[in-house]
Amino acid sequence: RLVVLANLCLGGTASRASHAASSRKSALSNPGDGRLASHLATRSGGASPETVDLAVPLKPTSKPATLAFNLINNVAGAGLLTLSAGMVGIGYLPAGAIGVGLGLVSAYTFSLIGACCEELGVDDFRGLWSLTIGEKSSFTIDLAIAFNCVAVCVIYSGLIADISTSLGQSLGGALFQSRSLNLMATTGVVLLPLCLLKSLAALGFTSLMGLGAVLLTAGVVIKRFLDGSYAPGGALLETLEASQHPALEGASLLGISGKAFVLASNLGLAYIAHYNAPRMYSELEGRTAAKFSKVVKSAFAVLAFLYVSVMIAGHATFGDATLSNVLSNYSGSDPLAVLARGCTLVSLIVGYPLAFCGIIDGLRGAAAGILTSQGLSEPPGSEPSPRSGVPPKRLKAAVIEAASGFAWPSSMADDLQRLLLVMAVMATALSVTDIGLVVGITGSVIGASIVYVLPSVMALRTAQMNPASSLNAHKNVCRALIPLGAAIGAVGAAETLKAYL
C-alpha cells in the first residue's frame, strides 16, 4: 500500500545471516543445482562449501485473523485515491471485473511466495531470490525496493502538495494556496528533519493512522455518492467551479478501451505487498502453505471489495472529470472532505520518512550486494573476510568507490546523501504535477514485475528443483502469468504515457 508501503520495503531488506539448521518435511534434492544442494546441506547440519545468506527465522506469533488484519493494513493505502481516475473510459462492469480479477491474481501470487518459502525454508524475499534466481543478482531486489520507494515518496510529495493546497483554499489563507510553496515549506520544515533521524521507532504508530485515514476517505467517497451531494441539484454541486463539475456523459456500464491497462497498472501498485510475503508467512502460527493461502485470500477479498467500491463510487460521482487524487474533486466547503484531507495529510507526512528509509536501505543493500559479488565484503579499513579479495579489473575504481561510499557512509556523508535524496524527490514531485503518471508507470514496471512475474518465476524454479513439489500443479498457471504480467507492464506503461503526456 502507499500509506505504509515503507513497511513492505523494509521487510524486503531484512538482515541476512546464515539460516539455522532445521528438519525438512519433504526431500528437495537436485544434484544439478548447487545453490539448493548447498542450502539443504547447511539446513540439515551437513557440511557445505558455500552457504546462502538468509534471514534468521522468525518465531510464529500471529494468529490467522491477526495476520489477515496486518496484511490489509499493509496493503490498503493512498493508492485508493487514484483508482477512480484510472477507470476513466471504462465501463463499471469491466472496471469492477478488473479490480476483483487482479485482486484474486495478486492473492494467488502472494500465496505462491508462501509456498516457495515453505519448501525452501527461507524467511525473506532476498533469500528466496538467492535460491531460485541467483545469489549474485540478489542486489536487484534491493534496487527494486529503492526504485519503488522513490516512486512512493514522489507520490507522497504530490499528494501532500495537492492536499495542503486544497486545505489552504478551504481555510481561506492566501499564503497556503501555492502548490509549489506548500511542498517546499513542508519538505524543508517537516519532512527533511524527519528523514535525517537515524531511528524511526517513534513513528511506528503511523500504520494504524494510515489505515484509519484510508477507511475515513473510503467512507466519505461512498457517502457522497449515495447522498447525491454532487449530483444535479445536490447541496454541494454549486460550491464547485463550472470546470470542476462532474462529467458523466462518457460513463457507461460495459465500455472498454486500452485505458483498461492504465487501471490495471494502478491496481498493480495498489495491491503490491509481495515483498513482505515471506516475513508474513514466517509469522503465521502453525504455518502451512494451505493455511497461509486461506489467510491471504480472505485479506485480498476485503481489499478487492474496498478498492472496487471506492473506485466505482468516486467515478460515479465525478465521471471523466475525476482527478488522479479523487479528494481534489471535492468542494472546499465540504466538511467531510476537509476532514478526510486533513487526516490523510497527517498520515502522509508521518509516513513519508518510513518510505524514505526504504530508499536508503534499498540503495545501501544494493551497493553492498554489488561489492560482495565482486569480492569486497568489508568496509575499507576493516579486517578482510574470507570472501574478500581483489576486485576484477573490469570493475572501474570509480564504481567501487561510489558503491563503498553508499554502502558504508560516514555520519556526515549519510546526512548529505539523505539531504540530496529528499531534494531530488521534491524536485521530481514539483515537475510532475499529476501523480497519476507516477502511479501508472510505477505500477506498470514494479507492480507487474513483483506481483505477477517474479512469484511465478520463483514457483517454477522451486518446482524444477523438486519433481515431487506441490508447486508442480501450478506450473501452467505460472507460465501464463509471466506473459500476462509482461503485457500489463508494457501496455500499461505505454497507455499511461499516452494518457498523461
Side-chain angles (χ1 to χ4, degrees):
R1 72 178 260 242
L2 292 180
V3 173
V4 199
L5 188 55
N7 292 343
L8 311 180
C9 298
L10 296 177
T13 54
S15 61
R16 270 73 69 179
S18 295
H19 198 290
S22 60
S23 60
R24 292 286 293 166
K25 291 184 179 180
S26 60
L28 293 179
S29 59
N30 186 333
D33 196 304
R35 292 192 305 276
L36 181 65
S38 169
H39 173 59
L40 296 185
T42 302
R43 295 186 68 218
S44 61
S48 171
E50 179 182 65
T51 301
V52 177
D53 289 340
L54 301 168
V56 175
L58 303 176
K59 294 181 179 180
T61 57
S62 298
K63 295 184 181 299
T66 303
L67 190 68
F69 174 81
N70 289 339
L71 178 53
I72 294 169
N73 188 27
N74 267 248
V75 180
L80 185 83
L81 301 176
T82 68
L83 298 180
S84 295
M87 67 169 288
V88 170
I90 310 169
Y92 294 113
L93 285 181
I98 292 171
V100 173
L102 292 184
L104 292 174
V105 173
S106 299
Y108 176 78
T109 54
F110 199 97
S111 300
L112 278 181
I113 295 174
C116 291
C117 290
E118 180 179 63
E119 297 211 8
L120 298 179
V122 295
D123 296 305
D124 74 313
F125 204 82
R126 200 172 194 262
L128 188 58
W129 178 296
S130 295
L131 282 175
T132 57
I133 298 177
E135 185 179 7
K136 288 187 176 181
S137 64
S138 60
F139 68 87
T140 307
I141 195 60
D142 293 304
L143 287 178
I145 289 169
F147 178 84
N148 197 55
C149 288
V150 167
V152 170
C153 286
V154 171
I155 294 167
Y156 275 20
S157 295
L159 289 172
I160 288 170
D162 292 339
I163 294 173
S164 61
T165 303
S166 296
L167 288 174
Q169 293 170 351
S170 298
L171 298 175
L175 180 64
F176 300 104
Q177 295 189 24
S178 169
R179 182 181 187 275
S180 298
L181 288 178
N182 286 342
L183 179 56
M184 287 189 287
T186 305
T187 300
V189 176
V190 183
L191 299 181
L192 179 58
L194 288 174
C195 290
L196 290 175
L197 294 175
K198 299 302 186 287
S199 173
L200 300 177
L203 299 180
F205 69 94
T206 59
S207 179
L208 288 178
M209 178 185 289
L211 181 60
V214 167
L215 295 178
L216 175 62
T217 300
V220 170
V221 172
I222 294 172
K223 175 175 173 50
R224 286 307 186 219
F225 163 66
L226 294 176
D227 66 19
S229 295
Y230 294 90
L236 293 168
L237 180 62
E238 295 309 316
T239 63
L240 296 174
E241 296 182 6
S243 61
Q244 297 176 313
H245 280 205
L248 298 171
E249 300 81 6
S252 68
L253 186 65
L254 299 172
I256 193 71
S257 71
K259 292 183 178 179
F261 285 94
V262 176
L263 176 59
S265 298
N266 290 3
L267 285 165
L269 191 59
Y271 280 125
I272 194 170
H274 295 57
Y275 297 122
N276 247 13
R279 181 166 292 271
M280 288 190 166
Y281 168 77
S282 68
E283 292 176 351
L284 179 62
E285 284 188 354
R287 60 181 183 251
T288 65
K291 187 175 183 179
F292 183 67
S293 179
K294 290 180 181 179
V295 172
V296 170
K297 288 175 182 176
S298 64
F300 274 87
V302 173
L303 289 166
F305 176 79
L306 176 66
Y307 284 170
V308 171
S309 298
V310 173
M311 174 180 69
I312 291 178
H315 187 270
T317 302
F318 296 104
D320 288 353
T322 306
L323 300 174
S324 294
N325 171 12
V326 71
L327 282 179
S328 296
N329 283 98
Y330 293 90
S331 169
S333 303
D334 186 340
L336 289 181
V338 171
L339 177 62
R341 285 169 180 152
C343 292
T344 300
L345 179 62
V346 173
S347 70
L348 289 169
I349 288 175
V350 295
Y352 182 103
L354 296 174
F356 182 81
C357 191
I359 302 176
I360 295 294
D361 286 356
L363 290 177
R364 288 184 180 158
I370 292 171
L371 291 171
T372 300
S373 70
Q374 299 299 324
L376 295 174
S377 58
E378 301 291 343
S382 63
E383 290 296 325
S385 73
R387 296 185 63 180
S388 296
V390 178
K393 292 181 180 180
R394 68 177 184 275
L395 190 62
K396 294 181 180 180
V399 175
I400 295 177
E401 184 177 355
S404 298
F406 232 106
W408 306 300
S410 64
S411 179
M412 182 178 295
D414 176 58
D415 289 341
L416 179 60
Q417 290 168 5
R418 290 170 183 265
L419 172 63
L420 293 176
L421 286 170
V422 169
M423 293 299 103
V425 168
M426 184 188 71
T428 304
L430 288 173
S431 63
V432 181
T433 56
D434 194 328
I435 62 167
L437 176 62
V438 183
V439 172
I441 294 298
T442 307
S444 300
V445 177
I446 296 295
S449 299
I450 299 297
V451 176
Y452 311 121
V453 178
L454 279 181
S456 300
V457 171
M458 290 174 172
L460 288 172
R461 287 289 294 124
T462 303
Q464 181 183 4
M465 293 173 183
N466 175 31
S469 170
S470 61
L471 289 168
N472 281 291
H474 300 269
K475 279 185 174 181
N476 291 335
V477 177
C478 291
R479 287 169 180 153
L481 285 177
I482 293 173
L484 173 65
I488 290 176
V491 181
E495 288 293 332
T496 298
L497 291 173
K498 184 172 26 174
Y500 289 99
L501 295 182

